[in-house]
Amino acid sequence: LHNDMNQLIEKWEDVFNNIKKQKVPSKVLSEDDKASAILRDNFNQDFVSIICDDEQMVRGMQQYLEVIAPERKNIVQFYDSHIPLLEYYNVEKQMKQSFGKHVNIASSKGAYLVIEHTEALHVIDVNSGSNISAGTNKMHALTVNKMAATEIARQLRLRDMGGIIVVDFIDMQNPDHRRELFDLLKEEMSRDKARHKILPPSKFGLIQITRQRTRPEKQIETKEENPNGDGEIMAPIVVVEKMEETIR
């Protein structure tokens, strides 16, 4: 709050000085640039590194962090390389994987989510994968479900999914396991700034979530045109990733 107040006072002084010395008509105050606006809305202790390939933007972000979190302004780094930044960090591949209908759950040895959008609601199905007999192993079902809960909370933030979301987790008969999963999902969702409500698992193992959305949901096309001219195919970079995952 103290840093916020100092920033507002500084902004007021800039406006006051601009009014005194500039001729009418002229601009006396600008909104924060896009990068600073994103930091203002999202910056927290989870940020460990911010990498940018625009020197001017780097300076702007460092100046902004010097006001709101001076001890952390050095996490902003300038990227200077002949390899494009998004290519170096595989951003396209990550987007193709994260916004598709099928989303792999990291470190789960084959488990994945199936995300379907209907007119009235979103449905997320948790699959243990063909090589895992989660149904016959109670602890394993809980482990996969907990990994899925973390990924689901991330997907809701990433895509800004709103309205009613129904999640079909892997069946668990043990009520303690269901309660543990429910508590973990609430904890993972606590980082979400959007207003939301999570209902306890039904007797069919379904968990219902309502989540407020403040802007249009992110829908990124993850399939590509078939070179043979017949419809669409899965993006090659995702196919390669699936092959690597299968081999591992």
Side-chain angles (χ1 to χ4, degrees), residues 48-228:
V48 292
S49 179
I50 299 171
I51 297 159
C52 176
D53 58 2
D54 183 308
E55 278 190 270
Q56 187 176 348
M57 196 177 283
V58 167
R59 283 195 297 272
M61 285 191 286
Q62 285 175 334
Q63 287 168 2
Y64 184 77
L65 284 181
E66 197 153 12
V67 175
I68 64 167
E71 72 286 354
R72 304 192 66 205
K73 72 170 188 175
N74 291 331
I75 70 170
V76 183
Q77 295 158 15
F78 175 57
Y79 177 83
D80 186 13
S81 171
H82 66 283
I83 303 171
L85 177 65
L86 301 187
E87 185 182 318
Y88 181 78
Y89 284 100
N90 280 326
V91 171
E92 185 187 356
K93 183 168 80 172
Q94 290 179 56
M95 288 175 72
K96 295 279 187 188
Q97 289 173 324
S98 295
F99 285 87
K101 178 180 171 181
H102 293 82
V103 178
N104 290 329
I105 301 171
S107 310
S108 66
K109 296 182 181 175
Y112 61 95
L113 305 176
V114 180
I115 302 176
E116 295 273 12
H117 307 274
T118 73
E119 191 70 33
L121 47 79
H122 303 285
V123 181
I124 302 177
D125 184 33
V126 180
N127 273 280
S128 59
S130 56
N131 60 335
I132 296 174
S133 55
T136 61
N137 185 329
K138 294 176 183 177
M139 284 308 296
H140 196 75
L142 174 63
T143 303
V144 172
N145 278 339
K146 286 167 76 172
M147 288 178 176
T150 301
E151 181 60 30
I152 287 165
R154 190 180 82 94
Q155 285 289 328
L156 296 186
R157 295 193 302 271
L158 192 65
R159 303 182 188 215
D160 199 14
M161 292 163 66
I164 300 171
I165 300 121
V166 178
V167 185
D168 183 11
F169 284 100
I170 299 166
D171 288 346
M172 296 186 300
Q173 302 301 321
N174 189 325
D176 291 337
H177 287 180
R178 288 204 294 267
R179 196 176 306 113
E180 190 176 334
L181 175 64
F182 180 54
D183 290 341
L184 176 73
L185 184 59
K186 284 196 295 185
E187 184 184 330
E188 292 290 345
M189 290 287 292
S190 66
R191 296 169 53 197
D192 198 332
K193 291 183 178 179
R195 203 164 62 211
H196 61 271
K197 187 174 183 180
I198 308 169
L199 296 181
S202 71
K203 64 179 179 179
F204 298 116
L206 302 175
I207 288 184
Q208 296 175 65
I209 303 168
T210 58
R211 183 179 183 276
Q212 184 186 37
R213 190 173 64 233
T214 52
R215 57 183 185 270
E217 181 184 334
K218 291 280 181 291
Q219 290 278 20
I220 294 176
E221 192 51 60
T222 59
K223 292 191 173 181
E224 296 181 5
E225 193 178 326
N226 189 339
N228 296 332

Side-chain angles (χ1 to χ4, degrees), residues 35-43 47 50 61 64-65 68:
S36 296
I38 290 170
L39 285 180
R40 180 189 64 207
D41 294 339
N42 298 292
F43 186 76
F47 280 68
I50 299 171
M61 285 191 286
Y64 184 77
L65 284 181
I68 64 167

